[in-house]
Amino acid sequence: MRIFELNSSEISWIFIVGMILLAFSLRIMIELMDIKPKSAAFLASVVTVLVNLFLVQMLAELGSRRMLLSKPFLNLGAFSFVSFLFGIAAVQVALFIKLRRIRKSQIGKNSIKESMDNLPDGLCISKMDGTPALVNRQMQLISYEVFGKHLVNDVRCEKLVREYKISEKTKILQKNPLVIEACGKIWLFQFIKDKEKKYRETIAYNITREWGVLGEIKKKNQEIKAANKRLSEYQMAALEYTRQKEILRSKIEIHDKMGQALIYFRHYLDKKDKTEDERKGLVQLWNESLVVLDENENEGEEVKDALWKKLLETAESIGVDIHFTGTLPQGENDKNTFISIVHEALNNAIRHAEAKNVWIDINEDGLRINLTIKNDGHKPSSEIKEKGGLKNIRARLKICDGKMSIDTSEVFTLRISWLKGESYDL
């Protein structure tokens, strides 16, 4: 069948297909001219458009029966004509694939705008008077949600937000820096001016996840504060319990010492033949009682330095020299522990060893306090059993992760350390 033998209906259908191919080829040519006009692909698109245009013109002349350009091709077979159209379609598909590859490898006039529109954050670049030069899609959505219209002036919008003149659907969560809830998300706004002060940039960062984490942190901090308050109350109660316990222990100790001294004194007075050793023993017993009384007179003082000074004066008054190296601990609990241990060690040195000199060395190594106490009294004649004063020291150290060792190789030596701090009473 020749092309001129086609009826009107067949020509119309082929004409429609040709026009579609022509429109498609024109679009490809225009885009290639915009992106890469000096390429072989652009030249091929121009040739495709011209061939496609010629074929459409032939169909138009066949339909109107006014032969101009198509007259030399009337004997062309219909199958060949349709094959030309399929060939054009194949070339257009190849050019379209080529166009997509070029788009991915090059930046065109609209590439920057398309990239900005695909950002998850809002972006607006405007002149210093607020006139927008570039606004991406997300910023327009935020503007429509906050103000009910698209962004037309950046400076004006910032002023309205600062004055809380916004839609009821949105909420200002924080004013400085500006944080707004809009479009079901949380946005952090940042306003930047360039060095030349020609343009300003407004960025809306999506911080929905970060804001949620911040809320969780604030909630946890409140719970921690409440827990700390309860712990502080418990610590105060524990300290009060310890204080009352120490007071009770001191009262019992005073009662025992005074009772023992009075009984011994009564026995001494009733005895007819009094020896010098018995008199020294009586004086020794009263000296021990004096140390206990002097300590408990200062038990209620808030400033423990006075108690330490009084302890030194008491030791001096009964003929015992204390050689002290280091500085007193700063913490109240540490100072209480130190004075309590020294008192017990001093009692033992006077009572059991009849010491005349006591050496005390204290230092800190960051986390722990180290204490060494020596005396020049009599060495123990048998194995030392921890009772009385040593037992009290061991019990005191237990509540503060303390350690104690005894060395009698040269002189009687106590090596003690405990965890520094204010919270170990818990």
Side-chain angles (χ1 to χ4, degrees), residues 18-32:
M19 289 299 296
I20 293 173
L21 292 175
L22 178 62
F24 192 64
S25 60
L26 282 170
R27 181 176 177 180
I28 292 176
M29 184 188 71
I30 293 171
E31 291 194 22
L32 285 171

Side-chain angles (χ1 to χ4, degrees), residues 154-373:
D154 184 34
V155 176
R156 175 63 178 167
C157 289
E158 181 184 357
K159 183 179 179 181
L160 291 174
V161 170
R162 300 291 185 188
E163 295 174 353
Y164 291 90
K165 296 179 180 179
I166 59 176
S167 171
E168 295 180 355
K169 295 184 293 183
T170 59
K171 186 195 302 183
I172 297 177
L173 302 177
Q174 187 174 292
K175 199 167 183 179
N176 190 21
L178 183 61
V179 178
I180 296 178
E181 182 180 357
C183 304
K185 298 177 182 178
I186 310 298
W187 305 94
L188 170 64
F189 283 81
Q190 185 178 13
F191 306 95
I192 304 171
K193 297 179 182 178
D194 68 350
K195 295 181 180 179
E196 298 179 357
K197 295 185 178 180
K198 292 183 178 180
Y199 293 93
R200 52 178 276 142
E201 182 178 359
T202 302
I203 306 173
Y205 296 104
N206 183 358
I207 59 166
T208 306
R209 175 181 290 182
E210 291 81 355
W211 191 262
V213 172
L214 179 62
E216 289 294 325
I217 292 174
K218 288 181 178 179
K219 184 179 178 181
K220 293 294 182 184
N221 283 340
Q222 292 176 353
E223 293 176 357
I224 291 171
K225 286 181 180 179
N228 284 339
K229 184 178 179 181
R230 292 194 298 270
L231 286 173
S232 297
E233 292 173 353
Y234 175 76
Q235 182 180 13
M236 293 302 296
L239 289 174
E240 178 63 20
Y241 169 76
T242 303
R243 191 179 73 86
Q244 294 295 336
K245 186 177 178 180
E246 288 293 325
I247 291 173
L248 178 60
R249 183 192 61 79
S250 298
K251 289 179 178 179
I252 294 172
E253 188 175 355
I254 292 171
H255 179 272
D256 292 343
K257 288 288 184 182
M258 292 300 295
Q260 185 180 357
L262 289 172
I263 291 172
Y264 193 89
F265 185 54
R266 176 64 180 273
H267 175 73
Y268 180 78
L269 291 177
D270 292 341
K271 194 172 182 180
K272 293 180 180 180
D273 299 326
K274 302 176 178 66
T275 64
E276 182 65 20
D277 290 338
E278 289 175 336
R279 189 187 70 79
K280 288 182 179 179
L282 180 61
V283 172
Q284 182 81 5
L285 189 58
W286 279 110
N287 283 337
E288 293 176 9
S289 301
L290 182 61
V291 172
V292 176
L293 285 172
D294 284 336
E295 179 193 3
N296 284 278
E297 285 177 0
N298 291 281
E299 189 68 36
E301 293 183 9
E302 293 182 1
V303 182
K304 298 301 178 182
D305 291 345
L307 179 58
W308 171 241
K309 184 178 179 181
K310 190 66 176 178
L311 191 60
L312 295 176
E313 292 174 354
T314 303
E316 184 180 359
S317 68
I318 59 177
V320 178
D321 293 329
I322 295 181
H323 309 277
F324 179 69
T325 305
T327 57
L328 292 178
Q330 296 299 315
E332 183 179 353
N333 285 341
D334 293 330
K335 195 173 294 183
N336 287 339
T337 301
F338 168 73
I339 293 175
S340 175
I341 292 172
V342 170
H343 167 255
E344 295 288 357
L346 184 60
N347 270 345
N348 284 349
I350 295 171
R351 183 174 181 180
H352 300 295
E354 298 181 359
K356 297 301 180 182
N357 291 278
V358 176
W359 290 271
I360 301 173
D361 178 76
I362 185 169
N363 61 79
E364 300 180 12
D365 62 0
L367 295 177
R368 300 186 73 84
I369 296 176
N370 304 307
L371 175 64
T372 303
I373 303 175

Side-chain angles (χ1 to χ4, degrees), residues 22 25 43-53 88 91-92 95:
L22 178 62
S25 60
L43 180 61
S45 67
V46 173
V47 173
T48 304
V49 169
L50 293 177
V51 172
N52 203 150
L53 182 62
I88 292 173
V91 172
Q92 288 180 354
L95 290 174

